[in-house]
Amino acid sequence: MKIAVFRKEHFNAAHRLFNPNWNHEKNDEVFGKCNNPNYHGHNYELVVRLVGEPDPSTGYVYDMKELSKLIKKHVIDIFDHKNLNLDTPYFQHSNPTAENIAVVIYKLLRKEIENQYELKVTLYETERNFVEYPA
Amino acid sequence: MKIAVFRKEHFNAAHRLFNPNWNHEKNDEVFGKCNNPNYHGHNYELVVRLVGEPDPSTGYVYDMKELSKLIKKHVIDIFDHKNLNLDTPYFQHSNPTAENIAVVIYKLLRKEIENQYELKVTLYETERNFVEYPA
Amino acid sequence: MKIAVFRKEHFNAAHRLFNPNWNHEKNDEVFGKCNNPNYHGHNYELVVRLVGEPDPSTGYVYDMKELSKLIKKHVIDIFDHKNLNLDTPYFQHSNPTAENIAVVIYKLLRKEIENQYELKVTLYETERNFVEYPA
Amino acid sequence: MKIAVFRKEHFNAAHRLFNPNWNHEKNDEVFGKCNNPNYHGHNYELVVRLVGEPDPSTGYVYDMKELSKLIKKHVIDIFDHKNLNLDTPYFQHSNPTAENIAVVIYKLLRKEIENQYELKVTLYETERNFVEYPA
Amino acid sequence: MKIAVFRKEHFNAAHRLFNPNWNHEKNDEVFGKCNNPNYHGHNYELVVRLVGEPDPSTGYVYDMKELSKLIKKHVIDIFDHKNLNLDTPYFQHSNPTAENIAVVIYKLLRKEIENQYELKVTLYETERNFVEYPA
Amino acid sequence: MKIAVFRKEHFNAAHRLFNPNWNHEKNDEVFGKCNNPNYHGHNYELVVRLVGEPDPSTGYVYDMKELSKLIKKHVIDIFDHKNLNLDTPYFQHSNPTAENIAVVIYKLLRKEIENQYELKVTLYETERNFVEYPA
């Protein structure tokens, strides 16, 4: 009896998208306004999905209070009110696109969530642009 | 040509989470504020998903007016403005967690929806905590 | 240069609406399902509005982090995961309707917010039913 | 490393649901208010989901600016502020139900999106009625 | 002790904006896509606000169940799944703009709501365009 | 017959809150995470409210297409995907708090909107923190 449980959290961060191997014109062509050298930012909404079987003694697949604490400790405290390019170690060689941020968050959480639970991450960069990993 | 159709309904209910086989300290440790003996409550949002093929004479996979009536009769009328622990027969031996409520709703609807339709239930306990069954 | 600032918080609670001076029939006629003796519940959303002038040294009318802490201490900690009728002292002689809850919250906060700030409270019982005090 | 990316767009349109092979009574019985001969309308919200692998030089699975332009050109410009029955060629022999509109949108976009990307369309007719294709 | 209470309802309708005293070019210039001769449509969200004093025997300013019924009878039943230009008598000599619809709804409700209550109507044509009457 | 019309737009920006006359400890104490030297960011939602009388030839208080263009030209193009501290001239001597940003936006729009219309600006920094000017 597999059930999915979801917990939604949020963080606010600045970022910039550009490829240091490209010249300014190419970066502007590809990334447009997202290439602003002084950064811009977003209110990110994060939804974490775990799949498992409910524990008969609690009725929980996973205690949402614990999942919330775990997301806060391993994701929100690292990304919230930060510059994703400069203040985190994860985007030295890749862009902090929603895609790449979602993969980083997945890896951070995968280490903390027991293997018996399937894990999926959905990240909203805006209400109209969002990503899901793994698809 | 399989298409999924979704109908969203809501109900308001009180509940309490605890395990009668545990002492007070253990219940508080596990369920925290959800163990309040006088209950607390939620505005539950329910999304029902059916998968089937559209009827060429209507263009409907399932008439949403009929699905809404069916959910109201078999779910909302039983849970809305009720105490899930005391006023329904489903949580005598299990907790009315979102996980367990979703499974009960699934079983109630599965009896009413023809087998040709796949059925899935998503239940929002709050905007930030929700579950899906089957996963 | 008067500016209004708003902070949104939420709490989940159980309640029951009835008038002990009326018989069962009259209570059912007036309060319908809200008179369920075993209670029902809601996810309440609370919006607190303060009006004042921004402090030139910060650009804040009121520090939102402080307003959030103050609402949590004086409102959320008292109402969240509680039975409004049984677990709080405010509805011994009146119903915990959205109207009456909003007035209680206003009075609790008015004592904590300096008089130089105008105060208003909006309380959502559901997405479709809400109140504002003072009007 | 498959990632899903989503883009949300919207359009406003009028439509009517009826089967020309049925008499008025049968149409009213099946389609109810949706059979109003002078049409009614909706604010449709459209979510397009592509699955692919991120390009290491950009961090994008698909450039959302390009996906937005493509949806605007091939879907929104055709459906927005239109009468779906009269102003588009797609519902001459079928009803503009959410199901059928979603399939039309899928086919319009499938031609424009390279085959390496999986494609899915979710269409909200109202906040409470929506469909997904393919399921 | 004046309190405002709000009730939210919705309806779906088709409309067209044009001025019959103007030629086609002028109408297109002013109304653009809203002048589509075959109509387009919207999911309208309506918020009705009443201001009054709570009744001490109930704690209600106005019974929301009654307000909901009243809005359904006098507004929703007239506008829902209708063509505002053709199926209602209110827009023979004026356009069904959000502004004009809100004034019509205000007048319809003002007749039904006792004078002791202040009345205000907010109408959302889309999530991004809305009006309030009286201002 | 005064009616209020509202238009909602959005922009994404980076910012930092600090007072250059204060030392690091004092800035951290007052602004906390908002003082991150490398900036953080938000998805700002902006609601512009105009009050006026409807033009009988159109039924519009103000053409929402024109209001949208005007907001885009005079506000969004200046703030969207920018660093509010570094890329705009408005926060050299004050902090880009929601309060101060709202006042700047009000002044930018007040110059463009004829005096016959009352103007008010609501700015959402997050879903839970927002401001209104004038109050």
Side-chain angles (χ1 to χ4, degrees):
Chain A
M1 197 170 69
K2 293 280 190 184
I3 305 180
V5 297
F6 302 75
R7 175 69 193 170
K8 192 178 178 184
E9 301 286 348
H10 64 276
F11 59 93
N12 311 317
H15 76 156
R16 177 197 179 186
L17 305 183
F18 72 109
N19 185 328
N21 301 320
W22 293 347
N23 64 19
H24 189 65
E25 285 67 32
K26 173 80 174 178
N27 270 303
D28 264 4
E29 186 195 320
V30 173
F31 296 109
K33 295 182 295 182
C34 297
N35 178 32
N36 180 31
N38 290 324
Y39 310 97
H40 65 285
H42 296 290
N43 301 333
Y44 291 91
E45 293 281 348
L46 170 66
V47 178
V48 175
R49 178 186 191 265
L50 299 189
V51 178
E53 303 209 15
D55 176 336
S57 67
T58 59
Y60 286 158
V61 166
Y62 203 99
D63 185 333
M64 287 291 100
K65 296 184 296 298
E66 294 306 313
L67 182 57
S68 176
K69 274 186 212 168
L70 198 145
I71 301 171
K72 277 180 181 141
K73 182 174 174 191
H74 296 282
V75 178
I76 307 302
D77 285 355
I78 292 164
F79 290 125
D80 190 31
H81 282 71
K82 293 290 168 57
N83 183 307
L84 300 176
N85 302 71
L86 301 180
D87 297 329
T88 78
Y90 305 110
F91 306 104
Q92 306 288 329
H93 306 293
S94 71
N95 262 326
T97 56
E99 290 90 328
N100 284 341
I101 304 169
V103 173
V104 167
I105 291 173
Y106 175 87
K107 289 179 180 168
L108 289 169
L109 291 174
R110 187 66 282 181
K111 282 185 278 186
E112 308 299 327
I113 305 274
E114 298 85 336
N115 276 331
Q116 73 203 78
Y117 300 102
E118 278 178 49
L119 172 63
K120 185 174 292 199
V121 158
T122 304
L123 184 71
Y124 292 77
E125 191 174 88
T126 69
E127 201 192 352
R128 300 202 169 267
N129 285 340
F130 49 108
V131 305
E132 183 186 77
Y133 178 75
Chain B
M1 196 169 69
K2 294 280 190 184
I3 304 179
V5 298
F6 301 77
R7 176 68 193 171
K8 192 177 177 184
E9 301 285 350
H10 63 276
F11 59 93
N12 310 317
H15 77 155
R16 176 196 178 187
L17 304 183
F18 71 111
N19 186 328
N21 300 321
W22 293 346
N23 64 19
H24 189 64
E25 286 68 31
K26 171 83 174 178
N27 271 303
D28 265 3
E29 185 196 320
V30 172
F31 296 110
K33 297 181 294 183
C34 297
N35 179 33
N36 180 33
N38 289 324
Y39 309 98
H40 64 283
H42 295 291
N43 302 332
Y44 291 91
E45 293 281 347
L46 170 65
V47 177
V48 175
R49 178 186 190 265
L50 300 188
V51 177
E53 303 209 13
D55 177 336
S57 68
T58 59
Y60 285 159
V61 166
Y62 202 99
D63 184 335
M64 287 291 100
K65 296 185 297 298
E66 294 306 314
L67 181 57
S68 175
K69 275 187 212 168
L70 199 145
I71 301 171
K72 278 180 181 141
K73 182 174 175 191
H74 296 281
V75 178
I76 306 303
D77 285 356
I78 291 165
F79 291 123
D80 190 31
H81 282 72
K82 294 289 169 57
N83 183 308
L84 299 176
N85 302 71
L86 302 179
D87 297 329
T88 76
Y90 306 111
F91 307 103
Q92 307 287 329
H93 306 294
S94 70
N95 264 325
T97 56
E99 289 91 328
N100 284 340
I101 304 169
V103 173
V104 167
I105 291 173
Y106 175 87
K107 288 178 180 168
L108 289 169
L109 291 176
R110 186 68 282 179
K111 282 186 278 188
E112 307 299 327
I113 305 274
E114 298 85 334
N115 277 332
Q116 73 202 78
Y117 300 103
E118 279 177 47
L119 172 64
K120 184 174 293 199
V121 158
T122 304
L123 184 70
Y124 292 77
E125 192 175 87
T126 69
E127 199 191 351
R128 300 201 169 267
N129 285 339
F130 49 106
V131 305
E132 184 186 77
Y133 177 76
Chain C
M1 197 169 69
K2 293 282 189 182
I3 304 180
V5 297
F6 302 76
R7 176 69 194 170
K8 192 177 178 185
E9 300 285 350
H10 64 276
F11 59 93
N12 310 317
H15 77 155
R16 177 197 179 187
L17 304 184
F18 71 110
N19 185 327
N21 300 319
W22 293 346
N23 64 19
H24 189 65
E25 285 68 29
K26 171 81 173 178
N27 270 305
D28 263 4
E29 185 196 321
V30 173
F31 296 109
K33 294 181 295 182
C34 297
N35 178 33
N36 180 32
N38 289 325
Y39 310 96
H40 65 285
H42 296 290
N43 301 333
Y44 291 91
E45 293 280 348
L46 170 66
V47 178
V48 175
R49 179 188 190 262
L50 299 188
V51 178
E53 303 210 13
D55 177 335
S57 68
T58 59
Y60 285 159
V61 165
Y62 203 100
D63 184 334
M64 287 292 100
K65 295 184 298 296
E66 294 306 313
L67 182 57
S68 176
K69 276 187 210 166
L70 197 146
I71 300 170
K72 277 180 181 143
K73 182 174 175 191
H74 296 281
V75 179
I76 306 305
D77 285 355
I78 291 165
F79 290 124
D80 190 33
H81 282 71
K82 295 288 168 58
N83 183 307
L84 299 176
N85 301 70
L86 302 179
D87 297 329
T88 77
Y90 306 111
F91 306 104
Q92 305 288 330
H93 306 292
S94 70
N95 264 326
T97 56
E99 290 92 328
N100 284 341
I101 304 169
V103 173
V104 166
I105 291 173
Y106 174 88
K107 288 178 181 169
L108 289 170
L109 291 175
R110 185 68 281 180
K111 282 186 278 189
E112 306 300 328
I113 304 275
E114 298 84 335
N115 277 331
Q116 73 205 77
Y117 300 102
E118 280 177 48
L119 173 64
K120 185 173 291 199
V121 158
T122 303
L123 184 70
Y124 291 78
E125 192 173 89
T126 68
E127 200 191 351
R128 301 201 169 267
N129 285 341
F130 48 107
V131 305
E132 182 186 78
Y133 177 75
Chain D
M1 197 170 68
K2 293 281 190 183
I3 304 179
V5 297
F6 301 76
R7 175 69 195 171
K8 193 176 178 185
E9 301 284 350
H10 65 276
F11 59 92
N12 310 316
H15 76 156
R16 177 197 179 187
L17 303 184
F18 72 110
N19 184 329
N21 300 321
W22 293 347
N23 64 19
H24 189 64
E25 286 68 30
K26 172 81 174 179
N27 270 304
D28 264 2
E29 186 196 319
V30 173
F31 296 109
K33 294 181 297 181
C34 297
N35 178 32
N36 180 32
N38 289 324
Y39 310 97
H40 65 285
H42 296 290
N43 302 332
Y44 291 92
E45 292 280 349
L46 169 66
V47 177
V48 175
R49 179 186 189 265
L50 299 188
V51 178
E53 303 210 14
D55 177 336
S57 67
T58 59
Y60 286 159
V61 165
Y62 202 99
D63 184 335
M64 286 292 100
K65 297 184 298 297
E66 294 306 313
L67 182 57
S68 176
K69 275 187 212 167
L70 198 146
I71 300 171
K72 278 180 180 143
K73 181 174 175 190
H74 296 282
V75 178
I76 306 303
D77 285 356
I78 292 165
F79 290 123
D80 190 33
H81 282 72
K82 294 288 167 59
N83 183 308
L84 299 176
N85 302 70
L86 302 180
D87 297 329
T88 76
Y90 305 110
F91 306 103
Q92 306 288 329
H93 307 293
S94 70
N95 263 326
T97 57
E99 289 91 329
N100 284 340
I101 304 169
V103 173
V104 166
I105 290 173
Y106 175 86
K107 288 178 180 168
L108 289 170
L109 291 175
R110 186 68 280 179
K111 282 186 279 187
E112 308 299 328
I113 305 275
E114 297 84 335
N115 277 332
Q116 73 203 78
Y117 300 103
E118 279 178 48
L119 172 63
K120 185 173 291 199
V121 157
T122 304
L123 184 70
Y124 292 78
E125 191 173 88
T126 69
E127 199 191 352
R128 300 200 170 269
N129 285 339
F130 49 105
V131 304
E132 183 186 77
Y133 178 75
Chain E
M1 196 169 70
K2 294 281 190 184
I3 304 179
V5 297
F6 302 77
R7 176 68 193 171
K8 192 176 176 184
E9 300 285 351
H10 63 275
F11 59 93
N12 310 318
H15 76 157
R16 177 198 178 186
L17 303 183
F18 70 109
N19 185 328
N21 300 320
W22 293 347
N23 63 20
H24 189 64
E25 285 70 28
K26 172 82 174 178
N27 270 304
D28 264 4
E29 185 195 321
V30 172
F31 296 109
K33 295 181 297 183
C34 297
N35 179 33
N36 179 32
N38 288 325
Y39 309 98
H40 65 285
H42 297 290
N43 301 332
Y44 290 91
E45 292 281 347
L46 170 65
V47 177
V48 175
R49 178 186 188 265
L50 299 188
V51 178
E53 302 209 14
D55 177 335
S57 68
T58 58
Y60 285 159
V61 165
Y62 202 100
D63 184 335
M64 286 293 99
K65 295 184 298 297
E66 294 305 314
L67 182 57
S68 175
K69 276 187 211 166
L70 199 146
I71 301 170
K72 276 180 182 141
K73 182 174 175 191
H74 297 281
V75 178
I76 307 303
D77 285 355
I78 292 165
F79 291 124
D80 190 32
H81 282 72
K82 294 289 168 58
N83 183 308
L84 299 177
N85 302 71
L86 302 179
D87 297 330
T88 77
Y90 305 112
F91 306 103
Q92 306 288 329
H93 307 292
S94 70
N95 262 328
T97 55
E99 290 91 328
N100 284 340
I101 303 169
V103 173
V104 166
I105 290 173
Y106 175 87
K107 288 178 180 168
L108 289 169
L109 291 175
R110 186 68 281 182
K111 282 186 279 188
E112 307 299 328
I113 306 274
E114 299 85 335
N115 277 331
Q116 72 204 76
Y117 300 103
E118 280 177 48
L119 173 62
K120 186 173 291 200
V121 158
T122 304
L123 184 71
Y124 291 77
E125 192 174 89
T126 69
E127 200 192 351
R128 300 201 168 267
N129 286 338
F130 49 107
V131 305
E132 182 187 77
Y133 178 76
Chain F
M1 197 169 71
K2 293 282 189 183
I3 303 179
V5 297
F6 302 75
R7 175 69 194 170
K8 192 176 177 186
E9 301 286 350
H10 64 275
F11 59 93
N12 310 319
H15 77 155
R16 177 197 178 185
L17 303 184
F18 71 110
N19 185 328
N21 301 320
W22 293 347
N23 63 20
H24 189 64
E25 286 67 31
K26 172 82 173 178
N27 270 304
D28 264 4
E29 185 197 319
V30 173
F31 296 110
K33 294 182 296 182
C34 297
N35 178 33
N36 179 31
N38 289 325
Y39 309 97
H40 65 285
H42 296 290
N43 301 332
Y44 291 91
E45 292 280 348
L46 170 66
V47 177
V48 175
R49 179 187 189 263
L50 299 188
V51 178
E53 303 209 14
D55 176 336
S57 67
T58 59
Y60 285 158
V61 165
Y62 202 99
D63 184 334
M64 287 291 99
K65 297 184 297 297
E66 295 305 314
L67 182 57
S68 176
K69 275 186 212 168
L70 198 145
I71 300 170
K72 277 179 181 143
K73 182 174 174 190
H74 296 281
V75 178
I76 306 305
D77 285 355
I78 292 165
F79 290 124
D80 190 32
H81 282 71
K82 294 291 168 57
N83 183 306
L84 299 176
N85 302 70
L86 301 180
D87 297 329
T88 77
Y90 304 112
F91 306 104
Q92 306 287 330
H93 306 293
S94 70
N95 262 327
T97 57
E99 291 91 327
N100 284 341
I101 304 170
V103 173
V104 166
I105 290 174
Y106 176 87
K107 288 179 180 168
L108 289 170
L109 291 175
R110 187 66 281 181
K111 282 185 279 188
E112 307 300 326
I113 305 275
E114 297 85 335
N115 277 331
Q116 73 202 78
Y117 300 102
E118 278 179 49
L119 172 64
K120 185 174 291 199
V121 158
T122 303
L123 184 70
Y124 292 77
E125 191 174 88
T126 69
E127 201 192 350
R128 300 202 170 266
N129 285 339
F130 48 107
V131 304
E132 183 186 76
Y133 178 76

